[in-house]
Amino acid sequence: MHTPEQIERALEQVLLRVERPGRYVGGEFNAVSKPWNSIQVRVALIFPDIYEIGMPNLGLAIFYDLLNRQPGILAERVYLPWVDMEAMLKRDGIPLFSLETKHPVSDFDVLAISIPYEQLYTNVLQVFDLSGLPLRSIERDETMPIVIAGGHACYNPEPLADFIDLFVIGEGEEAIIEIAQVVGEMKAANLSRNEQLARLAQLAGVYVPRFYEVDYQEDGVVAAIKPIREDVPFPVLKRVVPILPAPPTRFVVPNIDTVHNRAPIEIMRGCTRGCRFCHAGFVARPVRERSIDEIVMAVEDAVAQTGFEEIALLSLSSSDYTDVLNLVRTLGERFAGQRLSINLPSLRLETTSVELMESLRNNKRGGFTFAPEAATERMRNIINKSMPDRQVLEVARAVYSKGWRTIKLYFMIGHPSEKLEDVKAIADLSLAILAEGRNLHGRKATVNVSVSTFIPKPHTPFQWVPMDAIEQITAKQSLLKRELCGKGLRVSWNDPDETLLEALLSRGDRRLGSVIRRAWELGSRFDAWNEWRKHDAWVQALSEAGLDFHHYTHRTRPVDEVFPWDHIDIAVKKSFLAQDYLMSRRGETRVDCREKCFACGILPKLAIMRSKIPADAWKCPPVAPKIEPDEVSAI
Amino acid sequence: MNRLSPDEENAQNVVSGTAMPHLRYRISFGKDGPLRYCSHLDLMRVWERVLRRAGIPLVYSQGFNPRPKIQIAAGLPLGYISTCEILDIWMENDPLEPGSMLSALRLAAPQGLTINTIHLVALSEPALQSLTASACYQVTAKNSAIEPGMLEKRVRELLSQEHVWRERRGKRYDLRSLIRQVEIMPGTPLMLQMTLELSPQRGTGRPDEVLDALEIDALSAVVTRTTITFEASPDS
């Protein structure tokens, strides 16, 4: 047992011996320390990577704000130590601790772990290990904290099913408060861990993996997923807030540099574009916008409360915000001359975007970012992100002529139907854009090209598609590296091993639990960090479990395959995704579903919720008569 | 091009936001607690945010990447505590009295940042960094097993030498020439007080280098900067 005082004293001996000790001390402006002993339910909000990565995370900032507003609940932050500090903690027997009051993680009632991406899985085990807690859910008893997890990676919770007590599927704003309240009520009740979890499983959006079992076919494909208790939901429908609650504005202001030094204000959740590769575009439906008034007030409040020099207006696709021009004009006027930089990322490649950025009156040092994703019309149709070719250069010209010198472009390679000529077109387009810049700014013009690699994500129309062959990915990357070198060009790409690992983990089933554990035992952690990822450890861990990458990442699936995540209901129908997948094979596109409803399924699934809010709150148009093509009617 | 009258020029400056700085304030502050582990560079950013929260409109540099005009007298190494840091800020106008600025700054300061005083200084004064002469440090060596008698001997020896050649970041320099005074304070735990050069001409002495020369583990010592002395202090 360690007291906070013991931890503080032990820390003082090691802090000057590690890199950037400001990560481990807390005490930032707006950090909340509640009196530990007079609070009933204590929640540790854990981001399983280092402070600099975890601090800017908006999800945890929302929960920190919401939970600490509740009188009977406290929330404190926990991040993973970097490897130098990890060695010190182990050497001196210091357990993982919270930043606010330096309590050991194991002293909390609830550990809420945010898992936005799959490369954090081994870090989750690291959290348990450094906290002195058993790794597996069934090995932890009622004297230990209840471990909950959420975030975008948890729409396929199966790879972590062994380790997490319960997942919140979907949006956590309401669920996390309900969970904390139920945990508080159960404190005096002397229940077993199983009984506690059975009670929590009654809350909407809560998935307790131990109450479900999975059967596999001989070839390793899932045969069926079944609940083993009658009182748990099946399938588990994701949690959604019908209307976005007021955004947090009293952000904790770090004393050290972090990856994003800014106040994030979410202007809209969900997206109606339907880009077929985009996980967020399907799991985050429906669209919900905040009003201009609410956003302007939030920005004002955030600046006053934090002093941040930068505000980021976050959404999946800013250009689709209904009255976006009015929003940026209002903000631009309101904050003119205040030296505030207001970021509006995720703009569409169109001339209106230049006008939008002009209205915000920022300095133009940061460059202008677009994500065309593909450079040929054929590929754009396959991924459902259409735009006319000539438009791209027109927009580039407009951007450079308004004084920006840098254009950043996001492309994606590696869809199996992509050919080398589609990749060559990416290079040609980037060079043509640079030429536009050269005309106006000479050698000061730059184009940064960021090339990611396609991963067939769960819950998307591409969930049936295999990942591209590694040799193909390497050949495509080499082509780009060869074509795009020289002054004014910068290219970045993902290591194919990293993509392979992300594909494996995002498509994994429960059998990956032992693989993750073994890879961690072999030294894997910080898998999102190129210098720390140990590909050999994963290869060895898979082979020891009698599994391989190919089954998970490189098979073409029949349309009727049962996926490990099929019991997780994102409110979009599997038959809708299948229909969209088949359309992509024919090169057919769908327009923005604000214009025309394609019956994805969210309206019937969330009908009761929607009946209580204004009809236009989700931007869904009136529903067209339902037509199901024959080819997918079997699903 | 037509010349503008001073009034017109002023009006234009105001419109385009390029008005000349009107006021320069000097703030004395302390750095302790969690901020002890914040580097000099990070501290500058902390200050920018404190000033924005306090509603103090700073003057910005011109150009592609405008920066607020603030200066700190002398960077404090990460891990040191201070009671006496000095910061100059340039303000666009004068919305607040020094008294209300002081309370606004105190409200806006994070844990570990203590605002001691604030006062107006002449715009014409030279840059802060060029004004400093020396600094005093108090050192508490917590885990030191060294005998007081032995330490006294080492201090005497160090101060009696004409040169103490050392290397830091690959550069050879004379530590002795940067030491004005080292004194042992009575009592336990072991305490030292030292006055070191802090001068753009003569160089800057680092307490950890002195501790190292005295064979005291600098990483387990608590170092507090207690005074910064100016060359020819115009304000005192």
Side-chain angles (χ1 to χ4, degrees):
Chain A
M1 283 295 282
H2 283 77
T3 65
E5 294 73 29
Q6 286 168 329
I7 291 178
E8 295 249 23
R9 267 200 303 280
L11 282 178
E12 209 180 317
Q13 295 309 309
V14 299
L15 283 173
L16 291 180
R17 295 166 206 276
V18 296
E19 255 178 62
R20 312 199 71 199
R23 292 164 174 165
Y24 310 112
V25 295
E28 307 93 328
F29 197 76
N30 288 337
V32 180
S33 290
K34 287 190 168 183
W36 181 270
N37 289 322
S38 52
I39 296 287
Q40 197 196 8
V41 184
R42 299 152 187 146
V43 182
L45 294 174
I46 303 176
F47 193 91
D49 206 310
I50 58 168
Y51 180 87
E52 289 93 319
I53 311 279
M55 259 303 278
N57 180 273
L58 176 59
L60 284 188
I62 292 174
F63 299 139
Y64 190 75
D65 183 68
L66 282 174
L67 290 167
N68 279 321
R69 281 171 194 273
Q70 305 289 320
I73 303 174
L74 67 74
E76 303 191 7
R77 294 161 301 145
V78 176
Y79 305 98
L80 266 191
W82 187 236
V83 287
D84 58 346
M85 184 64 165
E86 177 195 329
M88 291 287 175
L89 295 184
K90 285 182 172 163
R91 187 196 70 180
D92 294 354
I94 309 171
L96 190 61
F97 55 89
S98 68
L99 289 185
E100 279 77 3
T101 61
K102 312 289 183 297
H103 274 87
V105 166
S106 54
D107 279 5
F108 284 82
D109 301 304
V110 178
L111 312 186
I113 310 181
S114 170
I115 314 179
Y117 45 93
E118 297 79 3
Q119 293 94 323
L120 295 175
Y121 288 172
T122 49
N123 289 7
V124 173
L125 303 195
Q126 187 73 359
V127 168
F128 295 139
D129 186 51
L130 292 175
S131 306
L133 293 168
L135 302 183
R136 300 182 67 201
S137 170
I138 50 162
E139 290 166 3
R140 293 190 298 263
D141 62 29
E142 36 305 324
T143 64
M144 296 169 188
I146 289 179
V147 179
I148 74 177
H152 271 200
C154 300
Y155 283 104
N156 175 16
E158 295 306 280
L160 287 184
D162 285 353
F163 312 110
I164 302 294
D165 299 334
L166 74 84
F167 290 90
V168 174
I169 307 298
E171 296 166 357
E173 281 106 332
E174 297 169 341
I176 200 163
I177 305 280
E178 293 166 13
I179 290 169
Q181 282 165 347
V182 173
V183 167
E185 288 158 20
M186 293 191 298
K187 259 190 147 176
N190 220 353
L191 299 175
S192 72
R193 180 49 49 94
N194 257 339
E195 289 164 333
Q196 291 175 333
L197 291 176
R199 213 186 268 193
L200 287 164
Q202 306 309 309
L203 298 172
V206 167
Y207 169 59
V208 179
R210 67 171 69 177
F211 298 148
Y212 300 78
E213 75 186 8
V214 186
D215 292 329
Y216 299 90
Q217 294 170 187
E218 236 161 70
D219 60 2
V221 171
V222 172
I225 305 155
K226 290 184 300 250
I228 56 171
R229 295 173 63 111
E230 279 184 0
D231 58 352
V232 296
F234 183 82
V236 182
L237 179 62
K238 75 165 176 189
R239 196 71 188 262
V240 171
V241 291
I243 305 262
L244 297 184
T249 51
R250 268 191 54 163
F251 296 101
V252 176
V253 185
N255 290 327
I256 64 170
D257 199 27
T258 62
V259 291
H260 295 298
N261 298 291
R262 66 191 192 188
I265 305 290
E266 190 184 21
I267 60 170
M268 177 173 74
R269 198 175 290 177
C271 178
T272 47
R273 286 271 141 189
C275 302
R276 291 174 176 135
F277 56 85
C278 180
H279 183 251
F282 291 93
V283 300
R285 291 180 182 205
V287 157
R288 283 142 296 161
E289 296 184 356
R290 288 201 163 100
S291 72
I292 293 181
D293 282 351
E294 189 174 28
I295 294 165
V296 173
M297 265 168 55
V299 173
E300 261 172 30
D301 206 37
V303 173
Q305 302 270 12
T306 67
F308 273 123
E309 53 283 352
E310 190 181 324
I311 300 285
L313 304 175
L314 299 185
S315 74
L316 292 171
S317 172
S318 304
S319 303
D320 292 323
Y321 180 85
T322 303
D323 206 358
V324 66
L325 190 58
N326 200 359
L327 171 68
V328 296
R329 279 188 184 147
T330 312
L331 286 169
E333 278 161 29
R334 173 64 189 76
F335 297 99
Q338 290 199 17
R339 307 289 180 179
L340 187 66
S341 150
I342 302 177
N343 267 330
L344 188 68
S346 317
L347 285 174
R348 257 206 309 282
L349 230 175
E350 57 192 21
T351 35
T352 337
S353 300
V354 187
E355 197 186 328
L356 292 176
M357 286 291 274
E358 280 276 293
S359 307
L360 285 172
R361 309 179 192 191
N362 293 324
N363 75 52
K364 293 173 178 174
R365 175 175 51 98
F368 213 119
T369 306
F370 292 116
E373 304 293 354
T376 58
E377 204 183 330
R378 190 180 75 86
M379 281 315 296
R380 288 192 200 121
N381 288 344
I382 288 173
I383 65 174
N384 200 40
K385 193 163 186 179
S386 307
M387 94 195 57
D389 264 331
R390 56 178 161 64
Q391 186 177 310
V392 178
L393 291 182
E394 245 170 62
V395 176
R397 208 172 304 139
V399 170
Y400 284 123
S401 72
K402 294 288 183 186
W404 280 275
R405 292 170 187 167
T406 303
I407 292 184
K408 298 179 193 166
L409 298 167
Y410 285 89
F411 288 104
M412 192 179 63
I413 58 163
H415 190 280
S417 32
E418 179 188 54
K419 301 187 177 115
L420 276 179
E421 65 208 45
D422 297 306
V423 180
K424 174 79 165 45
I426 292 176
D428 294 343
L429 182 62
S430 307
L431 289 168
I433 289 174
L434 181 64
E436 295 288 347
R438 284 269 164 90
N439 282 341
L440 284 151
H441 298 293
R443 297 175 71 81
K444 280 184 177 164
T446 52
V447 173
N448 296 346
V449 184
S450 174
V451 187
S452 66
T453 307
F454 166 72
I455 291 172
K457 288 278 183 177
H459 303 294
T460 68
F462 286 158
Q463 61 183 343
W464 289 272
V465 173
M467 190 185 147
D468 208 358
I470 297 295
E471 310 78 66
Q472 273 298 312
I473 295 172
T474 311
K476 289 171 179 176
Q477 288 179 342
S478 309
L479 186 152
L480 288 174
K481 288 181 223 174
R482 204 167 52 236
E483 297 278 327
L484 293 175
C485 60
K487 199 169 159 49
L489 285 164
R490 221 182 300 156
V491 191
S492 60
W493 58 89
N494 294 108
D495 182 347
D497 285 346
E498 179 191 12
T499 307
L500 188 65
L501 177 61
E502 190 186 335
L504 169 80
L505 295 175
S506 59
R507 305 195 53 107
D509 51 36
R510 282 194 187 188
R511 296 175 302 172
L512 283 197
S514 64
V515 177
I516 293 166
R517 182 179 184 147
R518 185 66 185 130
W520 172 77
E521 285 167 357
L522 292 168
S524 286
R525 68 205 58 174
F526 294 116
D527 288 304
W529 297 70
N530 278 331
E531 67 272 35
W532 276 94
R533 192 177 44 256
K534 295 181 160 125
H535 192 67
D536 295 346
W538 286 100
V539 173
Q540 183 184 335
L542 271 170
S543 99
E544 284 180 19
L547 301 170
D548 59 29
F549 278 105
H550 181 268
H551 170 83
Y552 294 96
T553 57
H554 281 86
R555 284 183 306 118
T556 308
R557 281 101 179 156
V559 196
D560 59 355
E561 176 163 328
V562 177
F563 292 126
W565 51 86
D566 273 358
H567 58 309
I568 302 301
D569 186 354
I570 62 160
V572 172
K573 289 179 295 180
K574 193 178 181 185
S575 59
F576 168 82
L577 296 174
Q579 189 184 6
D580 207 47
Y581 162 54
L582 296 172
M583 285 177 73
S584 112
R585 298 219 307 208
R586 298 190 294 264
E588 291 169 15
T589 58
R590 270 176 165 151
V591 294
D592 188 324
C593 69
R594 288 185 193 221
E595 291 169 33
K596 180 173 181 262
C597 180
F598 299 104
C600 70
I602 57 165
L603 292 185
K605 278 273 168 57
L606 306 174
I608 298 170
M609 179 183 281
R610 191 168 180 247
S611 67
K612 295 173 188 160
I613 56 169
D616 62 343
W618 292 352
K619 310 292 171 195
C620 289
V623 182
K626 193 172 151 192
I627 304 157
E628 290 272 321
D630 293 337
E631 51 197 339
V632 291
S633 57
I635 298 163
Chain B
M1 206 168 105
N2 290 331
R3 279 195 68 112
L4 300 169
S5 74
D7 269 358
E8 284 170 324
E9 192 173 283
N10 217 11
Q12 256 207 353
N13 280 344
V14 169
V15 169
S16 61
T18 58
M20 289 295 290
H22 288 296
L23 295 166
R24 177 176 175 184
Y25 282 95
R26 185 157 296 165
I27 299 170
S28 156
F29 67 96
K31 179 176 183 272
D32 195 359
L35 276 191
R36 185 183 159 194
Y37 301 100
C38 168
S39 71
H40 175 64
L41 216 62
D42 286 331
L43 183 69
M44 297 295 275
R45 190 75 80 85
V46 167
W47 261 111
E48 284 176 34
R49 292 175 185 157
V50 169
L51 291 160
R52 191 173 288 108
R53 288 195 293 266
I56 293 172
L58 296 174
V59 169
Y60 275 68
S61 64
Q62 300 294 304
F64 206 50
N65 181 21
R67 303 290 310 154
K69 196 162 179 206
I70 62 178
Q71 286 179 356
I72 285 186
L76 188 71
L78 185 149
Y80 288 12
I81 294 167
S82 175
T83 57
C84 63
E85 297 303 286
I86 306 164
L87 169 83
D88 273 8
I89 61 169
W90 280 257
M91 264 174 62
E92 274 183 0
N93 49 40
D94 182 21
L96 298 162
E97 292 295 306
S100 54
M101 276 173 76
L102 188 66
S103 45
L105 286 171
R106 284 181 175 155
L107 277 176
Q111 193 187 331
L113 187 69
T114 319
I115 320 287
N116 302 325
T117 58
I118 177 163
H119 65 272
L120 206 56
V121 290
L123 282 170
S124 56
E125 234 189 84
L128 254 185
Q129 293 96 321
S130 70
L131 293 173
T132 62
S134 65
C136 289
Y137 300 88
Q138 207 171 67
V139 179
T140 311
K142 275 193 174 160
N143 297 335
S144 188
I146 189 171
E147 300 265 324
M150 175 58 104
L151 181 64
E152 232 165 275
K153 185 166 158 276
R154 284 189 201 155
V155 170
R156 238 186 354 260
E157 273 173 18
L158 181 73
L159 295 180
S160 69
Q161 292 173 66
E162 201 177 330
H163 302 287
V164 179
W165 292 104
R166 290 179 60 88
E167 223 184 79
R168 188 176 148 74
R169 290 184 179 156
K171 263 171 126 180
R172 205 167 107 89
Y173 79 101
D174 181 12
L175 175 65
R176 182 62 192 88
S177 72
L178 300 173
I179 303 175
R180 290 196 180 180
Q181 192 199 18
V182 179
E183 260 184 286
I184 300 166
M185 310 301 283
T188 45
L190 198 61
M191 285 236 285
L192 287 169
Q193 197 160 295
M194 53 180 93
T195 307
L196 307 178
E197 295 290 346
L198 180 64
S199 155
Q201 291 82 34
R202 299 181 301 275
T204 297
R206 290 183 57 111
D208 52 345
E209 291 279 285
V210 178
L211 291 175
D212 203 44
L214 295 171
E215 293 169 53
I216 296 173
D217 177 23
L219 289 183
S220 38
V222 179
V223 182
T224 307
R225 181 143 76 188
T226 53
T227 326
I228 293 176
T229 308
F230 282 171
E231 201 70 73
S233 190
D235 307 303
S236 53

